Amino acid sequence: MTHADLSGVARGFNEIVVDGRGNAYVNGGNSDLMAGEEFTPGIVAAASVATLLDRPVALFGHSLGAVVAFEVATRLRPGAVQHLFASARNAPHDTTVVGDVHLRDDAGLVAELRRLAGTDGGVLDHPDLLPLVLPAVRADHQVIETYVGAPGRAVDCPITVLVGADDTEVTPAEAALWAECTHDRFEVLTYPGDHFYLDDVRSDVIAAVAAHLRR
């Protein structure tokens, strides 16, 4: 999953972008803090690094990354995270969304990727590339489809949820449940597009994030 490059959107902030694979990058750089680790230890590792940063932290996570960002935020010292941006994902405690994609055979997994239309068709049509791609995709789906967030947990920073108007993976009502995850301000921003709306409105999202961080 590609993410919007948010580097430099607001001075005085350290940006930690959490992508759809659960990888964390500080200031948009190449430091992969979580690759090769299990989901929960990876979150703890990212949180541990973030506590050492000498500036406020803003977290942006897309899809699976939104859940990872929330888990990181709940593990940081109070006040460390200034804003949490959760993109294209239902709230952590929302148990109404279930999935079985990780249990499907390879053909079923490919069909799901085609439905979401976020993967290059050339990759999905290439028999030599699929064995390299599908195990990681299946693992991603297993993580998010078996994840259950503990109810009642909330962060002290504002949460802004970003969704595509035509996203079939999260409805406006599901997005609104993120309000229960913060003791601070909450807002939902809707953009044209589907689950991968970021590809088409990157500059708009960057502008919105920058504006929120300057408040």
Side-chain angles (χ1 to χ4, degrees), residues 151-171:
R153 285 190 305 152
V155 295
D156 294 326
C157 66
I159 292 181
T160 298
V161 176
L162 304 90
V163 294
D166 300 318
D167 191 347
T168 59
E169 304 306 294
V170 54
T171 67

Side-chain angles (χ1 to χ4, degrees), residues 11-192:
R11 292 183 178 179
F13 272 80
N14 272 316
E15 171 208 354
I16 299 181
V17 175
V18 187
D19 67 15
R21 292 293 313 284
N23 300 316
Y25 306 89
V26 179
N27 284 340
N30 296 319
S31 177
D32 186 342
L33 303 180
M34 298 168 71
E37 297 182 39
E38 295 296 331
F39 187 56
T40 300
I43 291 171
V44 174
S48 298
V49 171
T51 60
L52 302 177
L53 300 178
D54 59 354
R55 288 178 291 174
V57 173
L59 297 170
F60 185 106
H62 181 80
S63 194
L64 167 59
V67 171
V68 178
F70 175 75
E71 291 291 341
V72 170
T74 62
R75 287 165 168 79
L76 294 179
R77 58 177 172 77
V81 178
Q82 300 301 299
H83 208 114
L84 172 61
F85 299 90
S87 171
R89 180 63 199 173
N90 58 297
H93 62 285
D94 183 4
T95 59
T96 64
V97 180
V98 296
D100 64 353
V101 175
H102 72 284
L103 298 175
R104 300 178 189 177
D105 60 17
D106 287 354
L109 195 56
V110 169
E112 176 66 8
L113 293 177
R114 292 190 189 281
R115 183 186 72 82
L116 291 175
T119 304
D120 189 331
V123 173
L124 299 179
D125 293 332
H126 201 300
D128 293 330
L129 290 180
L130 285 180
L132 302 176
V133 173
L134 293 186
V137 173
R138 188 181 303 281
D140 287 351
H141 279 87
Q142 181 176 1
V143 167
I144 199 59
E145 290 173 355
T146 58
Y147 165 82
V148 179
R153 285 190 305 152
V155 295
D156 294 326
C157 66
I159 292 181
T160 298
V161 176
L162 304 90
V163 294
D166 300 318
D167 191 347
T168 59
E169 304 306 294
V170 54
T171 67
E174 290 166 350
L177 292 179
W178 277 94
E180 301 174 23
C181 297
T182 177
H183 300 301
D184 207 309
R185 301 189 311 274
F186 172 75
E187 181 180 10
V188 176
L189 301 180
T190 304
Y191 295 92

